Amino acid sequence: MGALGPVVADASPKLPGISAQDLLAKVQTAKVDGLSGTVRSDADLGLPAIPGAPAGSEQLTEMLSGQHTARVAFASPDKARVSVLDNQAERVWTTDGKSAWAYDSSRREAVKLTVPEHKTAKPEKAVPSYDPQAVAKQFLDAIDPTTKVEVSGTEKVAGRDAYKLRLVPKTDKTTVGSVTLAIDSKTWVPLDVTVMPRTGNDPAVEVGFSSVSFDVPSASTFTFTPPQGVKVTDKKVPSQVGPKRVAPKQIEPKQLKPGTAKADDPTVIGEGWESVAMIRGAQTGRLTGNGPLAQLLAKAPTVSGTWGKGKVLTSKMVSALITDDGRVFVGLVTPDTLQAAAAKAPR
């Protein structure tokens, strides 16, 4: 655990004093049976625009930039619904634990995913960018001995009293300057997450509730009936066959061996704020030619080292290294940190 800051005594709204250590323990174990509300997100990661990108391919970029509003609902253990409202269009992802729906009103298309009886749909996969608790967890997991943790005050979020828990990485290898979590004083659930870059005075990301209720939503909230005239595609999750796949774990570089990670399984190199995700088997050959991403990479600097040769893309928060041998390294770290991770990674 990192260095723990002082206890909050006087702040508005008035709340009992609490130490950073106690508040951190409460938020890390917070659990509610359900909640619903409206989430607004505002992101400016400094990602470059991709010229000539085809319609529909910008969805991920949209989530990582600009302002967005979503209606969300969650119910333990396996129900979730996220409805994103943008440009008079609606995108819905919902699951009742047995089946899941993805709907895009602008395309008039819906996909129904049926899950085998011995499995359940995973609500945490539902656009985590719009779940403050999921976003907060990503940064809470990064806490290490180099992290300063302090209670920096209190505030009102969505009409609820909240403590402010501030995380400050001490390492200069990350692009994250600080992360402030607004923690509900009753449920200990994160209501808002604000990420500041190491450079600049404006938040890179802020995701939080503008309204929230901790009543358990009704079961009908998670059902979906496609509007008339919408094209529906049915898909089924295949039953588990062959060896069970293990979720990627954070592995020390010295433990990595060639062939231990599949092409579509990310491997995490390093720890805490200096973590870098590596994906092998990326078909980087597709990045050549005249496509929009190829045009972007053509302007990116070429770097090389003992790990090989590649292109590095940077923004004020996100850095990515795309190597000629089909590996992709990405993280909230500096370009030098990416190359250091590449030097320790398996081929």
Side-chain angles (χ1 to χ4, degrees):
M1 185 177 294
L4 296 170
V7 174
V8 167
D10 296 314
S12 183
K14 291 288 186 180
L15 290 173
I18 187 171
S19 70
Q21 185 172 12
D22 287 345
L23 183 55
L24 185 61
K26 287 180 179 296
V27 68
Q28 288 179 323
T29 57
K31 184 178 181 181
V32 294
D33 292 329
L35 65 82
S36 61
T38 300
V39 172
R40 80 276 181 280
S41 67
D42 191 349
D44 179 14
L45 301 182
L47 297 174
I50 299 177
S57 65
E58 71 283 355
Q59 183 170 337
L60 178 59
T61 304
E62 283 182 359
M63 288 167 54
L64 300 177
S65 62
Q67 298 178 338
H68 304 279
T69 300
R71 291 195 298 264
V72 303
F74 301 95
S76 180
D78 55 6
K79 297 178 176 62
R81 183 184 181 101
V82 177
S83 176
V84 183
L85 309 173
D86 277 322
N87 300 320
Q88 297 183 332
E90 182 181 32
R91 291 193 297 266
V92 177
W93 192 97
T94 187
T95 177
D96 59 5
K98 297 179 180 179
S99 63
W101 284 89
Y103 167 63
D104 187 334
S105 69
S106 64
R107 296 186 180 185
R108 304 286 294 171
E109 293 178 352
V111 176
K112 181 182 181 182
L113 189 66
T114 302
V115 181
E117 290 185 5
H118 64 283
K119 292 186 176 184
T120 58
K122 299 296 185 181
E124 64 268 24
K125 300 296 184 181
V127 199
S129 300
Y130 298 103
D131 178 4
Q133 195 170 9
V135 175
K137 185 178 186 302
Q138 302 299 314
F139 294 104
L140 290 170
D141 288 346
I143 293 177
D144 60 18
T146 69
T147 307
K148 179 181 180 181
V149 184
E150 61 185 1
V151 181
S152 60
T154 65
E155 64 179 328
K156 282 273 191 181
V157 177
R160 298 181 67 90
D161 293 346
Y163 292 97
K164 293 195 291 185
L165 183 67
R166 188 167 181 257
L167 317 177
V168 182
K170 296 180 180 180
T171 174
D172 60 2
K173 295 182 180 180
T174 179
T175 55
V176 177
S178 68
V179 179
T180 300
L181 312 178
I183 308 301
D184 185 71
S185 62
K186 299 292 186 183
T187 66
W188 310 110
V189 168
L191 300 175
D192 185 275
V193 181
T194 301
V195 183
M196 297 294 296
R198 291 188 68 85
T199 57
N201 299 318
D202 297 323
V205 176
E206 184 171 9
V207 179
F209 286 101
S210 56
S211 65
V212 65
S213 167
F214 289 96
D215 294 334
V216 179
S218 64
S220 61
T221 303
F222 308 102
T223 61
F224 180 79
T225 301
Q228 188 174 3
V230 168
K231 177 184 176 182
V232 176
T233 303
D234 286 295
K235 293 186 178 181
K236 186 174 183 179
V237 176
S239 299
Q240 184 74 43
V241 293
K244 181 179 180 181
R245 291 178 61 180
V246 180
K249 296 181 179 180
Q250 197 158 19
I251 305 172
E252 289 293 336
K254 63 183 180 181
Q255 293 177 297
L256 295 173
K257 296 179 181 180
T260 57
K262 297 180 181 180
D264 58 347
D265 287 341
T267 298
V268 179
I269 302 167
E271 296 181 348
W273 302 102
E274 300 174 19
S275 299
V276 172
M278 180 194 74
I279 301 174
R280 288 193 291 179
Q283 299 186 23
T284 53
R286 296 180 180 178
L287 305 180
T288 60
N290 297 318
L293 187 53
Q295 295 176 34
L296 182 62
L297 285 175
K299 300 177 182 179
T302 299
V303 292
S304 61
T306 56
W307 49 268
K309 183 179 178 182
K311 292 276 192 175
V312 64
L313 295 172
T314 60
S315 72
K316 68 180 180 182
M317 287 295 292
V318 182
S319 298
L321 172 63
I322 302 172
T323 68
D324 289 352
D325 61 4
R327 292 177 295 165
V328 176
F329 298 85
V330 64
L332 298 177
V333 297
T334 64
D336 287 345
T337 304
L338 281 182
Q339 293 191 58
K344 300 175 183 177
R347 294 277 181 171

